[in-house]
Amino acid sequence: MYSYIKCKRLNVVSLMPCGPCHILHGVRVQVLWPQFSRNKFLGEGLELSARSRLSTQLRLTKIYAKVVTIPIELEEATEPPINLFKPKEPYTATIKSNQKIVGPKAPGETCHIVIDHGGNVPYWEGQSYGVIPPGENPKKPGMPNTVRLYSIASTRYGDDFDGKTASLCVRRAVYYDPETGKEDPAKKGICSNFLCDSKPGDKVLITGPSGKVMLLPEDDQKACHIMVATGTGIAPYRGYLRRMFMENVPTFKFEGLAWLFLGVANTDSLLYNEEFISYQKQYPKNFRYDIALSREQLNKKGGKMYVQDKIEEYSEEIFKLLDGGAHIYFCGLKGMMPGIQDTLKRVAEERGESWDQKLLKLKKNKQWHVEVY
Ligand code: FAD
């Protein structure tokens, strides 16, 4: 089994399987560098005696690893990079891989797309890239297509830990004629279809990175982060969670609580589920994961289970955490917010609180982070 080790100044490393796809199989091994001296080199890799928390399914005894040195400068910047590339002068990046990440019963298609930016378009967790799809703008003949934004789903190191890639989680936008119910390919989304159809080696024009509202506040490493996502809104949280639980960088040692609420249609639509389950197993005190499957689960009133129903279920705890300074994030389709806001308002009123005042306070304290589209 081939895996990657990421190492930081030859000090602490963590290791994970990569295999043919990006999905983790629940293995995380941490080894202090001095222990390497006891291990033999095997060809291009190292033989490690994996000593902790190996997935029982894999029953690994030996792990062959490639060493990737983390580009240290990515930790040193004090400000996030912003708009290094603008629409008039975009960066030409290359598609490294493209993988459909939902099962056959998922309504719609979502892809995990890794883009190689060669280290030239660095970003921080929670930022977005712009993508300019090829071709003419249908609304302005003769003009290029406009930029579409996509939240970045990897940490600043990328899925390969070399600081040269960014991953996007893209849902293919299709159009169904409301009268016939049939798909109309002439009206399909331009950029999402370009990205979901892309192949390794294809060129892609990117802009950015952009956005500050979803940056992960790192000043308090014991903080609580409540993350609410619908569908591809999971993207920034995948980056946060990899930074918190998968990577091991000296400047960010997460000891707080990360609580993820993910709403999708059904089990086949779950995104990055294996990664999250593995964090849940390894860090039960630091990571909570709740899912709402609207087409498979019912809420307590017998209706479809949406993410706000899960929030309501845990509202007492959530309100306490918010009172204690927790950050709350919302990312995904615009349509998610009214239902969530109504639920939060109702819960606040049941507790004898004014939601409007509470919301003002959360915003003033920079605890409230929303990126919906
Ligand atoms: P467009 O070509 O822009 O079309 C938009 C919609 O209109 C499509 O649904 C299309 O089917 C429909 N349409 C086209 N022509 C017609 C017509 N004639 N009549 C009626 N309808 C028509 N998306 C993600 O998948 N993942 C992300 O992580 C993500 N992050 C985002 C982050 C931010 C900050 C923002 C603002 C948006 C984000 N988006 C994300 C959404 C993304 O930017 C695009 O809006 C989305 O992919 C659709 O773009 P498109 O070019 O495919 O569709």
PDB file of all heavy atoms in Angstrom, residues 5 13-15 27-42 45-54 59-65:
ATOM      1  N   ILE A   5       3.457  10.645   3.296  1.00  0.00           N
ATOM      2  CA  ILE A   5       3.772  11.237   4.584  1.00  0.00           C
ATOM      3  C   ILE A   5       3.917  12.722   4.332  1.00  0.00           C
ATOM      4  O   ILE A   5       4.497  13.121   3.348  1.00  0.00           O
ATOM      5  CB  ILE A   5       5.135  10.772   5.092  1.00  0.00           C
ATOM      6  CG1 ILE A   5       5.084   9.322   5.500  1.00  0.00           C
ATOM      7  CG2 ILE A   5       5.564  11.606   6.275  1.00  0.00           C
ATOM      8  CD1 ILE A   5       6.435   8.824   5.937  1.00  0.00           C
ATOM      9  N   VAL A  13       5.498  14.117  11.625  1.00  0.00           N
ATOM     10  CA  VAL A  13       4.866  13.752  10.370  1.00  0.00           C
ATOM     11  C   VAL A  13       3.522  13.113  10.654  1.00  0.00           C
ATOM     12  O   VAL A  13       3.285  12.599  11.728  1.00  0.00           O
ATOM     13  CB  VAL A  13       5.696  12.739   9.555  1.00  0.00           C
ATOM     14  CG1 VAL A  13       7.028  13.316   9.184  1.00  0.00           C
ATOM     15  CG2 VAL A  13       5.825  11.446  10.294  1.00  0.00           C
ATOM     16  N   SER A  14       2.659  13.167   9.706  1.00  0.00           N
ATOM     17  CA  SER A  14       1.485  12.316   9.798  1.00  0.00           C
ATOM     18  C   SER A  14       1.332  11.648   8.455  1.00  0.00           C
ATOM     19  O   SER A  14       1.848  12.112   7.444  1.00  0.00           O
ATOM     20  CB  SER A  14       0.237  13.101  10.173  1.00  0.00           C
ATOM     21  OG  SER A  14      -0.169  13.880   9.108  1.00  0.00           O
ATOM     22  N   LEU A  15       0.649  10.577   8.467  1.00  0.00           N
ATOM     23  CA  LEU A  15       0.661   9.737   7.288  1.00  0.00           C
ATOM     24  C   LEU A  15      -0.740   9.254   6.984  1.00  0.00           C
ATOM     25  O   LEU A  15      -1.511   9.001   7.888  1.00  0.00           O
ATOM     26  CB  LEU A  15       1.582   8.577   7.619  1.00  0.00           C
ATOM     27  CG  LEU A  15       1.774   7.470   6.643  1.00  0.00           C
ATOM     28  CD1 LEU A  15       3.149   6.891   6.858  1.00  0.00           C
ATOM     29  CD2 LEU A  15       0.734   6.422   6.892  1.00  0.00           C
ATOM     30  N   VAL A  27      -7.131   5.891   8.301  1.00  0.00           N
ATOM     31  CA  VAL A  27      -5.832   5.632   8.889  1.00  0.00           C
ATOM     32  C   VAL A  27      -5.120   6.944   9.147  1.00  0.00           C
ATOM     33  O   VAL A  27      -5.056   7.805   8.287  1.00  0.00           O
ATOM     34  CB  VAL A  27      -4.955   4.795   7.944  1.00  0.00           C
ATOM     35  CG1 VAL A  27      -3.573   4.589   8.548  1.00  0.00           C
ATOM     36  CG2 VAL A  27      -5.608   3.465   7.698  1.00  0.00           C
ATOM     37  N   ARG A  28      -4.620   7.103  10.331  1.00  0.00           N
ATOM     38  CA  ARG A  28      -3.790   8.261  10.611  1.00  0.00           C
ATOM     39  C   ARG A  28      -2.724   7.781  11.569  1.00  0.00           C
ATOM     40  O   ARG A  28      -3.020   7.212  12.608  1.00  0.00           O
ATOM     41  CB  ARG A  28      -4.623   9.355  11.257  1.00  0.00           C
ATOM     42  CG  ARG A  28      -3.839  10.598  11.586  1.00  0.00           C
ATOM     43  CD  ARG A  28      -4.705  11.479  12.454  1.00  0.00           C
ATOM     44  NE  ARG A  28      -3.909  12.539  13.031  1.00  0.00           N
ATOM     45  CZ  ARG A  28      -3.853  13.772  12.551  1.00  0.00           C
ATOM     46  NH1 ARG A  28      -4.529  14.097  11.482  1.00  0.00           N
ATOM     47  NH2 ARG A  28      -3.135  14.692  13.150  1.00  0.00           N
ATOM     48  N   VAL A  29      -1.504   7.962  11.184  1.00  0.00           N
ATOM     49  CA  VAL A  29      -0.411   7.514  12.035  1.00  0.00           C
ATOM     50  C   VAL A  29       0.502   8.700  12.248  1.00  0.00           C
ATOM     51  O   VAL A  29       0.840   9.396  11.303  1.00  0.00           O
ATOM     52  CB  VAL A  29       0.406   6.392  11.358  1.00  0.00           C
ATOM     53  CG1 VAL A  29       1.498   5.906  12.285  1.00  0.00           C
ATOM     54  CG2 VAL A  29      -0.504   5.261  10.947  1.00  0.00           C
ATOM     55  N   GLN A  30       0.881   8.931  13.466  1.00  0.00           N
ATOM     56  CA  GLN A  30       1.815  10.019  13.701  1.00  0.00           C
ATOM     57  C   GLN A  30       3.115   9.441  14.228  1.00  0.00           C
ATOM     58  O   GLN A  30       3.112   8.590  15.094  1.00  0.00           O
ATOM     59  CB  GLN A  30       1.249  10.997  14.711  1.00  0.00           C
ATOM     60  CG  GLN A  30       0.015  11.674  14.164  1.00  0.00           C
ATOM     61  CD  GLN A  30      -0.430  12.818  15.007  1.00  0.00           C
ATOM     62  OE1 GLN A  30      -0.129  12.864  16.185  1.00  0.00           O
ATOM     63  NE2 GLN A  30      -1.133  13.725  14.403  1.00  0.00           N
ATOM     64  N   VAL A  31       4.190   9.909  13.690  1.00  0.00           N
ATOM     65  CA  VAL A  31       5.496   9.380  14.070  1.00  0.00           C
ATOM     66  C   VAL A  31       6.444  10.549  14.275  1.00  0.00           C
ATOM     67  O   VAL A  31       6.493  11.445  13.440  1.00  0.00           O
ATOM     68  CB  VAL A  31       6.071   8.494  12.947  1.00  0.00           C
ATOM     69  CG1 VAL A  31       7.296   7.753  13.435  1.00  0.00           C
ATOM     70  CG2 VAL A  31       5.032   7.530  12.430  1.00  0.00           C
ATOM     71  N   LEU A  32       7.167  10.557  15.348  1.00  0.00           N
ATOM     72  CA  LEU A  32       8.159  11.608  15.529  1.00  0.00           C
ATOM     73  C   LEU A  32       9.367  11.306  14.668  1.00  0.00           C
ATOM     74  O   LEU A  32       9.761  10.159  14.522  1.00  0.00           O
ATOM     75  CB  LEU A  32       8.577  11.709  17.000  1.00  0.00           C
ATOM     76  CG  LEU A  32       7.497  12.253  17.911  1.00  0.00           C
ATOM     77  CD1 LEU A  32       7.967  12.220  19.339  1.00  0.00           C
ATOM     78  CD2 LEU A  32       7.096  13.655  17.500  1.00  0.00           C
ATOM     79  N   TRP A  33       9.944  12.341  14.128  1.00  0.00           N
ATOM     80  CA  TRP A  33      11.039  12.140  13.184  1.00  0.00           C
ATOM     81  C   TRP A  33      12.149  11.251  13.718  1.00  0.00           C
ATOM     82  O   TRP A  33      12.607  10.355  13.009  1.00  0.00           O
ATOM     83  CB  TRP A  33      11.589  13.495  12.717  1.00  0.00           C
ATOM     84  CG  TRP A  33      12.705  13.316  11.750  1.00  0.00           C
ATOM     85  CD1 TRP A  33      14.030  13.403  12.006  1.00  0.00           C
ATOM     86  CD2 TRP A  33      12.587  12.947  10.390  1.00  0.00           C
ATOM     87  NE1 TRP A  33      14.754  13.133  10.889  1.00  0.00           N
ATOM     88  CE2 TRP A  33      13.895  12.854   9.873  1.00  0.00           C
ATOM     89  CE3 TRP A  33      11.506  12.695   9.545  1.00  0.00           C
ATOM     90  CZ2 TRP A  33      14.140  12.520   8.552  1.00  0.00           C
ATOM     91  CZ3 TRP A  33      11.765  12.355   8.241  1.00  0.00           C
ATOM     92  CH2 TRP A  33      13.070  12.267   7.761  1.00  0.00           C
ATOM     93  N   PRO A  34      12.609  11.431  14.955  1.00  0.00           N
ATOM     94  CA  PRO A  34      13.730  10.601  15.404  1.00  0.00           C
ATOM     95  C   PRO A  34      13.452   9.108  15.273  1.00  0.00           C
ATOM     96  O   PRO A  34      14.369   8.313  15.096  1.00  0.00           O
ATOM     97  CB  PRO A  34      13.892  10.987  16.874  1.00  0.00           C
ATOM     98  CG  PRO A  34      13.300  12.343  16.975  1.00  0.00           C
ATOM     99  CD  PRO A  34      12.189  12.375  15.984  1.00  0.00           C
ATOM    100  N   GLN A  35      12.163   8.765  15.324  1.00  0.00           N
ATOM    101  CA  GLN A  35      11.865   7.338  15.219  1.00  0.00           C
ATOM    102  C   GLN A  35      12.168   6.799  13.829  1.00  0.00           C
ATOM    103  O   GLN A  35      12.329   5.609  13.657  1.00  0.00           O
ATOM    104  CB  GLN A  35      10.392   7.099  15.521  1.00  0.00           C
ATOM    105  CG  GLN A  35      10.082   7.322  16.973  1.00  0.00           C
ATOM    106  CD  GLN A  35       8.594   7.219  17.196  1.00  0.00           C
ATOM    107  OE1 GLN A  35       7.850   8.043  16.699  1.00  0.00           O
ATOM    108  NE2 GLN A  35       8.192   6.210  17.913  1.00  0.00           N
ATOM    109  N   PHE A  36      12.213   7.711  12.857  1.00  0.00           N
ATOM    110  CA  PHE A  36      12.519   7.248  11.512  1.00  0.00           C
ATOM    111  C   PHE A  36      13.874   6.566  11.440  1.00  0.00           C
ATOM    112  O   PHE A  36      14.094   5.696  10.638  1.00  0.00           O
ATOM    113  CB  PHE A  36      12.543   8.428  10.527  1.00  0.00           C
ATOM    114  CG  PHE A  36      11.179   8.805  10.046  1.00  0.00           C
ATOM    115  CD1 PHE A  36      10.062   8.220  10.579  1.00  0.00           C
ATOM    116  CD2 PHE A  36      11.022   9.728   9.051  1.00  0.00           C
ATOM    117  CE1 PHE A  36       8.804   8.559  10.145  1.00  0.00           C
ATOM    118  CE2 PHE A  36       9.773  10.085   8.588  1.00  0.00           C
ATOM    119  CZ  PHE A  36       8.665   9.502   9.143  1.00  0.00           C
ATOM    120  N   SER A  37      14.770   7.043  12.290  1.00  0.00           N
ATOM    121  CA  SER A  37      16.119   6.489  12.209  1.00  0.00           C
ATOM    122  C   SER A  37      16.110   4.992  12.479  1.00  0.00           C
ATOM    123  O   SER A  37      17.011   4.290  12.076  1.00  0.00           O
ATOM    124  CB  SER A  37      17.032   7.215  13.186  1.00  0.00           C
ATOM    125  OG  SER A  37      16.460   7.096  14.466  1.00  0.00           O
ATOM    126  N   ARG A  38      15.050   4.537  13.119  1.00  0.00           N
ATOM    127  CA  ARG A  38      14.981   3.100  13.384  1.00  0.00           C
ATOM    128  C   ARG A  38      14.365   2.343  12.203  1.00  0.00           C
ATOM    129  O   ARG A  38      14.312   1.138  12.203  1.00  0.00           O
ATOM    130  CB  ARG A  38      14.129   2.848  14.629  1.00  0.00           C
ATOM    131  CG  ARG A  38      14.766   3.364  15.901  1.00  0.00           C
ATOM    132  CD  ARG A  38      14.304   2.544  17.083  1.00  0.00           C
ATOM    133  NE  ARG A  38      12.880   2.716  17.310  1.00  0.00           N
ATOM    134  CZ  ARG A  38      12.384   3.597  18.166  1.00  0.00           C
ATOM    135  NH1 ARG A  38      13.180   4.343  18.871  1.00  0.00           N
ATOM    136  NH2 ARG A  38      11.097   3.714  18.337  1.00  0.00           N
ATOM    137  N   ASN A  39      13.882   3.090  11.254  1.00  0.00           N
ATOM    138  CA  ASN A  39      13.223   2.425  10.127  1.00  0.00           C
ATOM    139  C   ASN A  39      14.136   2.357   8.907  1.00  0.00           C
ATOM    140  O   ASN A  39      14.930   3.240   8.669  1.00  0.00           O
ATOM    141  CB  ASN A  39      11.952   3.182   9.758  1.00  0.00           C
ATOM    142  CG  ASN A  39      10.937   3.107  10.876  1.00  0.00           C
ATOM    143  OD1 ASN A  39      10.588   2.026  11.297  1.00  0.00           O
ATOM    144  ND2 ASN A  39      10.533   4.243  11.368  1.00  0.00           N
ATOM    145  N   LYS A  40      13.926   1.285   8.189  1.00  0.00           N
ATOM    146  CA  LYS A  40      14.768   1.077   7.000  1.00  0.00           C
ATOM    147  C   LYS A  40      14.186   1.834   5.810  1.00  0.00           C
ATOM    148  O   LYS A  40      12.970   1.946   5.695  1.00  0.00           O
ATOM    149  CB  LYS A  40      14.750  -0.411   6.634  1.00  0.00           C
ATOM    150  CG  LYS A  40      15.519  -1.295   7.557  1.00  0.00           C
ATOM    151  CD  LYS A  40      15.438  -2.726   7.072  1.00  0.00           C
ATOM    152  CE  LYS A  40      14.027  -3.277   7.198  1.00  0.00           C
ATOM    153  NZ  LYS A  40      13.801  -4.612   6.828  1.00  0.00           N
ATOM    154  N   PHE A  41      15.014   2.276   4.930  1.00  0.00           N
ATOM    155  CA  PHE A  41      14.521   2.833   3.678  1.00  0.00           C
ATOM    156  C   PHE A  41      14.217   1.695   2.722  1.00  0.00           C
ATOM    157  O   PHE A  41      14.982   0.743   2.609  1.00  0.00           O
ATOM    158  CB  PHE A  41      15.571   3.747   3.034  1.00  0.00           C
ATOM    159  CG  PHE A  41      15.499   5.123   3.591  1.00  0.00           C
ATOM    160  CD1 PHE A  41      16.188   5.464   4.732  1.00  0.00           C
ATOM    161  CD2 PHE A  41      14.703   6.077   2.979  1.00  0.00           C
ATOM    162  CE1 PHE A  41      16.104   6.729   5.261  1.00  0.00           C
ATOM    163  CE2 PHE A  41      14.605   7.346   3.504  1.00  0.00           C
ATOM    164  CZ  PHE A  41      15.314   7.679   4.646  1.00  0.00           C
ATOM    165  N   LEU A  42      13.145   1.768   2.057  1.00  0.00           N
ATOM    166  CA  LEU A  42      12.776   0.742   1.089  1.00  0.00           C
ATOM    167  C   LEU A  42      12.547   1.409  -0.257  1.00  0.00           C
ATOM    168  O   LEU A  42      11.515   2.023  -0.465  1.00  0.00           O
ATOM    169  CB  LEU A  42      11.464   0.082   1.495  1.00  0.00           C
ATOM    170  CG  LEU A  42      11.506  -1.052   2.493  1.00  0.00           C
ATOM    171  CD1 LEU A  42      10.098  -1.556   2.718  1.00  0.00           C
ATOM    172  CD2 LEU A  42      12.378  -2.184   1.994  1.00  0.00           C
ATOM    173  N   GLY A  45      10.699   4.763  -0.652  1.00  0.00           N
ATOM    174  CA  GLY A  45       9.896   5.083   0.526  1.00  0.00           C
ATOM    175  C   GLY A  45      10.567   4.714   1.836  1.00  0.00           C
ATOM    176  O   GLY A  45      11.760   4.475   1.908  1.00  0.00           O
ATOM    177  N   LEU A  46       9.797   4.711   2.853  1.00  0.00           N
ATOM    178  CA  LEU A  46      10.267   4.366   4.172  1.00  0.00           C
ATOM    179  C   LEU A  46       9.395   3.244   4.698  1.00  0.00           C
ATOM    180  O   LEU A  46       8.201   3.237   4.436  1.00  0.00           O
ATOM    181  CB  LEU A  46      10.068   5.546   5.129  1.00  0.00           C
ATOM    182  CG  LEU A  46      10.891   6.781   4.898  1.00  0.00           C
ATOM    183  CD1 LEU A  46      10.251   7.935   5.618  1.00  0.00           C
ATOM    184  CD2 LEU A  46      12.286   6.552   5.448  1.00  0.00           C
ATOM    185  N   GLU A  47       9.986   2.362   5.452  1.00  0.00           N
ATOM    186  CA  GLU A  47       9.129   1.371   6.094  1.00  0.00           C
ATOM    187  C   GLU A  47       8.872   1.859   7.512  1.00  0.00           C
ATOM    188  O   GLU A  47       9.799   2.147   8.263  1.00  0.00           O
ATOM    189  CB  GLU A  47       9.836   0.020   6.129  1.00  0.00           C
ATOM    190  CG  GLU A  47       8.942  -1.048   6.696  1.00  0.00           C
ATOM    191  CD  GLU A  47       9.650  -2.381   6.777  1.00  0.00           C
ATOM    192  OE1 GLU A  47      10.630  -2.576   6.038  1.00  0.00           O
ATOM    193  OE2 GLU A  47       9.227  -3.188   7.599  1.00  0.00           O
ATOM    194  N   LEU A  48       7.642   1.970   7.872  1.00  0.00           N
ATOM    195  CA  LEU A  48       7.309   2.455   9.205  1.00  0.00           C
ATOM    196  C   LEU A  48       6.600   1.349   9.954  1.00  0.00           C
ATOM    197  O   LEU A  48       5.826   0.612   9.378  1.00  0.00           O
ATOM    198  CB  LEU A  48       6.333   3.622   9.113  1.00  0.00           C
ATOM    199  CG  LEU A  48       6.766   4.836   8.328  1.00  0.00           C
ATOM    200  CD1 LEU A  48       5.617   5.816   8.286  1.00  0.00           C
ATOM    201  CD2 LEU A  48       7.963   5.463   9.000  1.00  0.00           C
ATOM    202  N   SER A  49       6.847   1.276  11.232  1.00  0.00           N
ATOM    203  CA  SER A  49       5.979   0.393  11.984  1.00  0.00           C
ATOM    204  C   SER A  49       4.847   1.268  12.496  1.00  0.00           C
ATOM    205  O   SER A  49       5.042   2.141  13.326  1.00  0.00           O
ATOM    206  CB  SER A  49       6.726  -0.270  13.123  1.00  0.00           C
ATOM    207  OG  SER A  49       7.478   0.691  13.790  1.00  0.00           O
ATOM    208  N   ALA A  50       3.703   1.080  11.935  1.00  0.00           N
ATOM    209  CA  ALA A  50       2.558   1.919  12.303  1.00  0.00           C
ATOM    210  C   ALA A  50       2.093   1.498  13.684  1.00  0.00           C
ATOM    211  O   ALA A  50       1.840   0.342  13.922  1.00  0.00           O
ATOM    212  CB  ALA A  50       1.469   1.695  11.279  1.00  0.00           C
ATOM    213  N   ARG A  51       2.006   2.457  14.587  1.00  0.00           N
ATOM    214  CA  ARG A  51       1.783   2.019  15.957  1.00  0.00           C
ATOM    215  C   ARG A  51       0.442   2.430  16.539  1.00  0.00           C
ATOM    216  O   ARG A  51       0.111   2.045  17.632  1.00  0.00           O
ATOM    217  CB  ARG A  51       2.906   2.510  16.841  1.00  0.00           C
ATOM    218  CG  ARG A  51       3.197   3.966  16.616  1.00  0.00           C
ATOM    219  CD  ARG A  51       4.254   4.553  17.481  1.00  0.00           C
ATOM    220  NE  ARG A  51       4.067   5.980  17.359  1.00  0.00           N
ATOM    221  CZ  ARG A  51       4.198   6.845  18.302  1.00  0.00           C
ATOM    222  NH1 ARG A  51       4.561   6.459  19.483  1.00  0.00           N
ATOM    223  NH2 ARG A  51       3.990   8.113  18.089  1.00  0.00           N
ATOM    224  N   SER A  52      -0.318   3.270  15.816  1.00  0.00           N
ATOM    225  CA  SER A  52      -1.538   3.664  16.502  1.00  0.00           C
ATOM    226  C   SER A  52      -2.722   3.753  15.567  1.00  0.00           C
ATOM    227  O   SER A  52      -2.594   4.069  14.397  1.00  0.00           O
ATOM    228  CB  SER A  52      -1.341   5.017  17.170  1.00  0.00           C
ATOM    229  OG  SER A  52      -1.187   5.992  16.182  1.00  0.00           O
ATOM    230  N   ARG A  53      -3.856   3.472  16.093  1.00  0.00           N
ATOM    231  CA  ARG A  53      -5.149   3.747  15.466  1.00  0.00           C
ATOM    232  C   ARG A  53      -5.251   3.345  14.019  1.00  0.00           C
ATOM    233  O   ARG A  53      -5.754   4.079  13.187  1.00  0.00           O
ATOM    234  CB  ARG A  53      -5.441   5.238  15.568  1.00  0.00           C
ATOM    235  CG  ARG A  53      -5.694   5.664  16.964  1.00  0.00           C
ATOM    236  CD  ARG A  53      -5.960   7.111  16.976  1.00  0.00           C
ATOM    237  NE  ARG A  53      -6.296   7.551  18.313  1.00  0.00           N
ATOM    238  CZ  ARG A  53      -6.073   8.754  18.771  1.00  0.00           C
ATOM    239  NH1 ARG A  53      -5.538   9.645  18.008  1.00  0.00           N
ATOM    240  NH2 ARG A  53      -6.412   9.083  19.986  1.00  0.00           N
ATOM    241  N   LEU A  54      -4.744   2.197  13.695  1.00  0.00           N
ATOM    242  CA  LEU A  54      -4.904   1.767  12.310  1.00  0.00           C
ATOM    243  C   LEU A  54      -6.301   1.222  12.118  1.00  0.00           C
ATOM    244  O   LEU A  54      -6.864   0.599  12.997  1.00  0.00           O
ATOM    245  CB  LEU A  54      -3.883   0.687  11.987  1.00  0.00           C
ATOM    246  CG  LEU A  54      -2.476   1.207  11.836  1.00  0.00           C
ATOM    247  CD1 LEU A  54      -1.549   0.080  11.475  1.00  0.00           C
ATOM    248  CD2 LEU A  54      -2.415   2.267  10.761  1.00  0.00           C
ATOM    249  N   ARG A  59      -5.988  -3.400   8.372  1.00  0.00           N
ATOM    250  CA  ARG A  59      -5.015  -4.234   9.088  1.00  0.00           C
ATOM    251  C   ARG A  59      -3.614  -4.083   8.520  1.00  0.00           C
ATOM    252  O   ARG A  59      -2.975  -5.031   8.086  1.00  0.00           O
ATOM    253  CB  ARG A  59      -5.417  -5.696   9.018  1.00  0.00           C
ATOM    254  CG  ARG A  59      -6.665  -5.977   9.816  1.00  0.00           C
ATOM    255  CD  ARG A  59      -6.746  -7.441  10.219  1.00  0.00           C
ATOM    256  NE  ARG A  59      -7.991  -7.666  10.920  1.00  0.00           N
ATOM    257  CZ  ARG A  59      -9.131  -7.949  10.329  1.00  0.00           C
ATOM    258  NH1 ARG A  59      -9.181  -8.091   9.049  1.00  0.00           N
ATOM    259  NH2 ARG A  59     -10.217  -8.104  11.032  1.00  0.00           N
ATOM    260  N   LEU A  60      -3.147  -2.867   8.497  1.00  0.00           N
ATOM    261  CA  LEU A  60      -1.829  -2.627   7.927  1.00  0.00           C
ATOM    262  C   LEU A  60      -0.746  -2.988   8.940  1.00  0.00           C
ATOM    263  O   LEU A  60      -0.866  -2.672  10.107  1.00  0.00           O
ATOM    264  CB  LEU A  60      -1.673  -1.160   7.574  1.00  0.00           C
ATOM    265  CG  LEU A  60      -2.627  -0.649   6.524  1.00  0.00           C
ATOM    266  CD1 LEU A  60      -2.412   0.835   6.342  1.00  0.00           C
ATOM    267  CD2 LEU A  60      -2.411  -1.366   5.224  1.00  0.00           C
ATOM    268  N   THR A  61       0.264  -3.603   8.483  1.00  0.00           N
ATOM    269  CA  THR A  61       1.405  -3.801   9.362  1.00  0.00           C
ATOM    270  C   THR A  61       2.593  -3.005   8.848  1.00  0.00           C
ATOM    271  O   THR A  61       3.428  -2.561   9.597  1.00  0.00           O
ATOM    272  CB  THR A  61       1.804  -5.284   9.446  1.00  0.00           C
ATOM    273  OG1 THR A  61       1.937  -5.750   8.117  1.00  0.00           O
ATOM    274  CG2 THR A  61       0.762  -6.081  10.195  1.00  0.00           C
ATOM    275  N   LYS A  62       2.640  -2.838   7.554  1.00  0.00           N
ATOM    276  CA  LYS A  62       3.736  -2.062   6.982  1.00  0.00           C
ATOM    277  C   LYS A  62       3.129  -1.005   6.086  1.00  0.00           C
ATOM    278  O   LYS A  62       2.187  -1.283   5.362  1.00  0.00           O
ATOM    279  CB  LYS A  62       4.637  -2.938   6.120  1.00  0.00           C
ATOM    280  CG  LYS A  62       5.560  -3.801   6.915  1.00  0.00           C
ATOM    281  CD  LYS A  62       6.377  -4.624   5.972  1.00  0.00           C
ATOM    282  CE  LYS A  62       7.256  -5.584   6.742  1.00  0.00           C
ATOM    283  NZ  LYS A  62       7.910  -6.532   5.853  1.00  0.00           N
ATOM    284  N   ILE A  63       3.677   0.167   6.119  1.00  0.00           N
ATOM    285  CA  ILE A  63       3.198   1.221   5.228  1.00  0.00           C
ATOM    286  C   ILE A  63       4.392   1.769   4.466  1.00  0.00           C
ATOM    287  O   ILE A  63       5.395   2.119   5.062  1.00  0.00           O
ATOM    288  CB  ILE A  63       2.539   2.353   6.042  1.00  0.00           C
ATOM    289  CG1 ILE A  63       1.281   1.816   6.717  1.00  0.00           C
ATOM    290  CG2 ILE A  63       2.185   3.532   5.144  1.00  0.00           C
ATOM    291  CD1 ILE A  63       0.655   2.778   7.667  1.00  0.00           C
ATOM    292  N   TYR A  64       4.270   1.786   3.177  1.00  0.00           N
ATOM    293  CA  TYR A  64       5.326   2.351   2.351  1.00  0.00           C
ATOM    294  C   TYR A  64       4.929   3.778   2.028  1.00  0.00           C
ATOM    295  O   TYR A  64       3.809   4.020   1.602  1.00  0.00           O
ATOM    296  CB  TYR A  64       5.502   1.536   1.079  1.00  0.00           C
ATOM    297  CG  TYR A  64       5.868   0.120   1.397  1.00  0.00           C
ATOM    298  CD1 TYR A  64       4.890  -0.846   1.505  1.00  0.00           C
ATOM    299  CD2 TYR A  64       7.189  -0.223   1.651  1.00  0.00           C
ATOM    300  CE1 TYR A  64       5.210  -2.148   1.837  1.00  0.00           C
ATOM    301  CE2 TYR A  64       7.523  -1.521   1.979  1.00  0.00           C
ATOM    302  CZ  TYR A  64       6.531  -2.487   2.069  1.00  0.00           C
ATOM    303  OH  TYR A  64       6.848  -3.759   2.396  1.00  0.00           O
ATOM    304  N   ALA A  65       5.817   4.661   2.255  1.00  0.00           N
ATOM    305  CA  ALA A  65       5.398   6.060   2.165  1.00  0.00           C
ATOM    306  C   ALA A  65       6.321   6.888   1.294  1.00  0.00           C
ATOM    307  O   ALA A  65       7.511   6.631   1.215  1.00  0.00           O
ATOM    308  CB  ALA A  65       5.356   6.646   3.563  1.00  0.00           C
TER     309      ALA A  65
END
